[in-house]
Amino acid sequence: MNTSNLYWQDVPPTGRMLRPNDVVKCTSLSRSQIYAMIAAGTFPPFLKLSERASALPESWLNAFFVTRAAKLFASSKGNVPVKEAF
């Protein structure tokens, strides 16, 4: 696992606790994609709330979005592709 991807470790786990189905809705990624990304170290892991319940802190999901957007922006040198609304 690449530790440079562990950007969420610097973010305190604040905000709402998002259950896996909420994370799927927020990201538009499939559940299997999310778990594969967690295993690869490119997505923040769920926290165990109890024996049968897991959730992701909202701040960690926001850190994921910010980091992905920053990488896209940096790789495109400011020319982020935008889809036309019409």
Side-chain angles (χ1 to χ4, degrees):
M1 184 179 340
N2 185 352
T3 57
S4 66
N5 291 329
L6 303 179
Y7 47 84
W8 58 85
Q9 287 186 341
D10 297 331
V11 178
T14 58
R16 297 180 352 192
M17 296 299 283
L18 304 171
R19 299 294 302 269
N21 285 340
D22 298 327
V23 176
V24 168
K25 289 177 188 173
C26 288
T27 62
S28 297
L29 297 170
S30 72
R31 193 178 184 101
S32 61
Q33 285 175 305
I34 291 169
Y35 282 106
M37 290 173 73
I38 290 170
T42 59
F43 196 89
F46 289 99
L47 302 176
K48 286 299 277 183
L49 301 178
S50 69
E51 186 177 317
R52 296 182 56 182
S54 297
L56 181 70
E58 189 174 34
S59 60
W60 289 6
L61 185 60
N62 290 337
F64 169 76
F65 288 139
V66 168
T67 303
R68 294 293 277 217
K71 286 180 182 179
L72 174 65
F73 189 76
S75 69
S76 65
K77 296 183 175 60
N79 299 319
V80 178
V82 178
K83 290 185 177 180
E84 292 293 327
F86 304 99

